[in-house]
């Protein structure tokens, strides 16, 4: 059901690769709520992915940008304001990739060039996106910036590898930049800590099926799906959450505050 919560709002959505992507579902929901936006992804992902289809469905233009490139980001931000006809009200950073994970390197055997590249893509890019928006004075007052994260930033999950460190950095950037964006421009910055979700990035994690089923049986409400995440993100982009900022918001059906569930206990009795 749509409530027109984003009527008249303009945004940029990073990271829709295919219809499973959290950013893809979010783009469809933002569109249903009356928001307009530019879609963006890395040039390589645009060649391989299906973003054109999403652009057509939502009447959105697509601007390629490698989120690690300051030049690409400046071009993206400037062109988005031209296309959308004004400053930006909402931004979704939905980007993650570990080169160590992709190349099968364990946490105890990191290749540090891979580590640096993965950190740049998954964590520092959030700072680069916000610095570009800030310096170009591209955000409207009471605008909202959201990035997606995972609880491995707080607790150890052995197979999450160096993405755990990347997520800890990402969440810290949200707090640190959130202070300045709040003070200087009245813009809020938050991270959503999402349940394991079956997407290209999610399924890259070793033992993902066990991981997602365990979380589902632990959480009193079950895992939050990609669509649930899209719905939650809409509220953070809307005017109903204007004083929520610098937060890491768990969106996981209660998993993060559950010690153990009856279902999991039953397996050990
Ligand atoms: P996805 O694979 O659909 O999305 C990841 C996106 O990052 C892709 O669109 C990819 O092209 C983009 N990307 C990679 N390198 C890039 C670069 N250099 N510049 C710009 N974009 C680049 O997977 P998903 O799951 O939708 O991931 C979105 C976010 O959600 C990520 O931050 C991920 O860590 C986070 N997340 C995912 C969970 C899961 O279990 N799937 C759980 C918690 C958080």
């Amino acid at each position: 059901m749509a409530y027109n919560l984003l009527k008249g709002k303009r945004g940029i959505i990073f990271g829709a690769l295919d219809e499973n992507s959290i950013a893809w579902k979010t783009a469809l929901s933002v569109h249903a709520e009356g928001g307009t936006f530019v879609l963006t992804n890395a040039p390589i992902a645009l060649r391989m992915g299906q973003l054109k289809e999403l652009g057509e469905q939502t009447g959105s233009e697509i601007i390629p940008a490698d989120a690690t490139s300051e030049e690409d980001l400046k071009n993206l931000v400037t062109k988005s304001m031209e296309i959308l006809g004004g400053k930006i009200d909402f931004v979704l950073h939905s980007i993650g990739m570990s080169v160590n994970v992709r190349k099968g390197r364990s946490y105890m055997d990191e290749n540090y060039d891979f580590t640096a590249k993965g950190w740049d893509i998954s964590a520092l890019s959030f700072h680069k996106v916000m610095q570009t928006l800030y310096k170009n004075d591209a955000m409207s007052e009471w605008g909202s910036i959201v990035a997606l994260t995972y609880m491995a930033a707080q607790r150890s999950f052995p197979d999450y590898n160096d993405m755990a460190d990347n997520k800890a950095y990402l969440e810290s950037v949200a707090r640190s930049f959130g202070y300045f964006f709040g003070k200087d421009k009245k813009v809020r910055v938050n991270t959503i800590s999402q349940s394991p979700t079956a997407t290209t990035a999610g399924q890259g994690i070793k033992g993902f099926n066990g991981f997602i089923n365990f979380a589902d049986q632990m959480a009193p409400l079950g895992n939050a799906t990609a669509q649930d995440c899209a719905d939650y993100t809409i509220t953070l982009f809307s005017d109903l959450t204007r004083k929520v900022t610098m937060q890491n918001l768990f969106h996981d059906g209660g998993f993060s505050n559950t010690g153990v569930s009856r279902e999991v206990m039953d397996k050990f009795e």
Side-chain angles (χ1 to χ4, degrees):
M1 197 205 288
Y3 305 87
N4 253 344
L5 282 174
L6 304 180
K7 192 161 185 277
K9 293 199 186 292
R10 301 178 268 256
I12 302 176
I13 297 182
F14 287 84
L17 182 67
D18 57 34
E19 62 181 10
N20 297 319
S21 300
I22 297 169
W24 187 289
K25 309 260 192 233
T26 308
L28 289 175
S29 295
V30 169
H31 178 63
E33 290 295 340
T36 54
F37 47 86
V38 162
L39 293 164
T40 181
N41 210 323
I44 173 93
L46 289 182
R47 281 200 293 280
M48 295 173 353
Q50 308 141 26
L51 198 59
K52 207 160 156 262
E53 197 185 306
L54 182 63
E56 280 160 14
Q57 270 184 59
T58 59
S60 313
E61 292 210 30
I62 298 167
I63 302 178
D66 178 339
T68 66
S69 159
E70 290 178 72
E71 196 188 328
D72 283 9
L73 290 173
K74 179 150 200 240
N75 177 60
L76 169 69
V77 165
T78 317
K79 287 224 176 101
S80 296
M81 287 196 286
E82 277 166 30
I83 291 167
L84 299 169
K87 288 194 187 188
I88 306 300
D89 301 294
F90 62 88
V91 176
L92 177 67
H93 177 288
S94 184
I95 299 171
M97 211 270 290
S98 159
V99 190
N100 282 307
V101 167
R102 194 169 273 191
K103 305 260 188 198
R105 304 286 292 244
S106 80
Y107 191 70
M108 290 75 63
D109 181 34
E110 287 192 11
N111 169 316
Y112 294 120
D113 290 335
F114 295 171
T115 307
K117 182 74 190 152
W119 165 75
D120 197 9
I121 293 173
S122 310
L124 189 63
S125 67
F126 192 37
H127 192 284
K128 289 179 178 174
V129 166
M130 287 198 280
Q131 185 163 293
T132 309
L133 292 162
Y134 186 95
K135 284 189 172 171
N136 289 283
D137 197 19
M139 291 297 295
S140 308
E141 277 198 1
W142 303 109
S144 172
I145 302 173
V146 170
L148 297 179
T149 186
Y150 182 60
M151 207 184 50
Q154 287 79 33
R155 296 191 194 167
S156 173
F157 289 84
D159 292 324
Y160 208 67
N161 211 309
D162 58 342
M163 279 304 284
D165 305 331
N166 292 336
K167 292 304 193 191
Y169 188 97
L170 178 92
E171 291 175 17
S172 177
V173 165
R175 281 186 296 274
S176 302
F177 222 120
Y179 175 83
F180 295 105
F181 242 140
K183 267 274 181 225
D184 300 346
K185 317 244 185 209
K186 291 196 169 60
V187 169
R188 59 204 194 272
V189 182
N190 295 290
T191 49
I192 295 178
S193 188
Q194 165 69 9
S195 292
T197 314
T199 62
T200 304
Q203 281 160 334
I205 303 294
K206 200 169 128 212
F208 183 76
N209 286 341
F211 202 48
I212 195 168
N213 291 334
F214 170 71
D216 197 43
Q217 294 201 13
M218 278 283 280
L221 297 180
N223 285 337
T225 64
Q227 184 56 50
D228 292 329
C229 189
D231 293 343
Y232 189 32
T233 305
I234 299 293
T235 66
L236 291 174
F237 287 165
S238 81
D239 290 332
L240 301 177
T241 51
R242 280 180 162 200
K243 291 289 173 78
V244 180
T245 195
M246 300 160 72
Q247 302 297 318
N248 180 44
L249 303 160
F250 288 102
H251 182 248
D252 60 5
F255 177 85
S256 49
N257 270 346
T258 302
V260 74
S261 67
R262 175 55 50 209
E263 286 79 355
V264 171
M265 277 296 277
D266 284 348
K267 296 198 191 309
F268 291 90
E269 292 213 65

